Amino acid sequence: MKKTTLLNSHLSALVASVGHTDGIVLADAGLPILGGPQRIDLAVSPGLPGLLAVLSALLTELQLESVTLAQEIITASPELHQQLLAKIAEAAIDQGKEITVSYINHEQFKQDTTQAKAVVRTGECTPYANLILRCGVPF
């Protein structure tokens, strides 16, 4: 049995399969998942699991290069926005490489999700609680 934080077999397989610049969407419960990317549905009930908990588990094994957020999160969900920025800054320190953060409008965000390798649906119900994680390399 794995002894790292990330125990979900689908997420572990996803992390093992991605390469440099591949995208993984970490989504709230309401983000439409259009055809194309693999769908990993973790949602159990509203709030379970939360976006931050899933992001924290993924970051124990995933090297990030950049993160894209919908710009609407800044005003619609400022508390979660600040928590996400803090988590990303912490991950950058842990991995020893900068992680750039960019913003696009929500409509563009939804279109960009179709290019991702996978969409991971959480139970998060905070408005605009979605990220596109762009994978980096640890060397």
Side-chain angles (χ1 to χ4, degrees):
M1 179 172 175
K2 285 184 68 166
K3 62 182 186 177
T4 59
T5 302
L6 187 59
L7 297 178
N8 182 282
S9 62
H10 300 290
L11 293 180
S12 289
L14 175 62
V15 171
S17 73
V18 293
H20 189 213
T21 73
D22 280 343
I24 298 172
V25 176
L26 193 52
D28 62 23
L31 185 73
I33 302 173
L34 305 173
Q38 173 189 4
R39 178 186 179 127
I40 300 174
D41 196 339
L42 304 178
V44 175
S45 61
L48 284 174
L51 185 84
L52 281 170
V54 176
L55 177 61
S56 293
L58 275 172
L59 289 174
T60 64
E61 296 188 13
L62 184 67
Q63 183 82 18
L64 285 185
E65 184 169 279
S66 66
V67 174
T68 303
L69 299 160
Q71 63 193 24
E72 290 86 349
I73 193 173
I74 297 169
T75 55
S77 303
E79 184 177 333
L80 179 61
H81 177 239
Q82 289 305 311
Q83 292 171 331
L84 289 170
L85 292 179
K87 181 60 68 182
I88 294 163
E90 180 183 310
I93 292 168
D94 290 346
Q95 71 182 25
K97 287 188 175 187
E98 181 182 351
I99 300 170
T100 59
V101 177
S102 60
Y103 299 87
I104 55 178
N105 70 56
H106 189 59
E107 289 306 312
Q108 183 64 53
F109 185 97
K110 290 189 287 188
Q111 289 176 0
D112 287 1
T113 63
T114 63
Q115 302 304 311
K117 182 147 186 147
V119 177
V120 179
R121 181 175 175 254
T122 69
E124 186 67 50
C125 291
T126 304
Y128 303 103
N130 305 291
L131 307 95
I132 299 174
L133 308 172
R134 190 73 53 202
C135 302
V137 292
F139 51 86

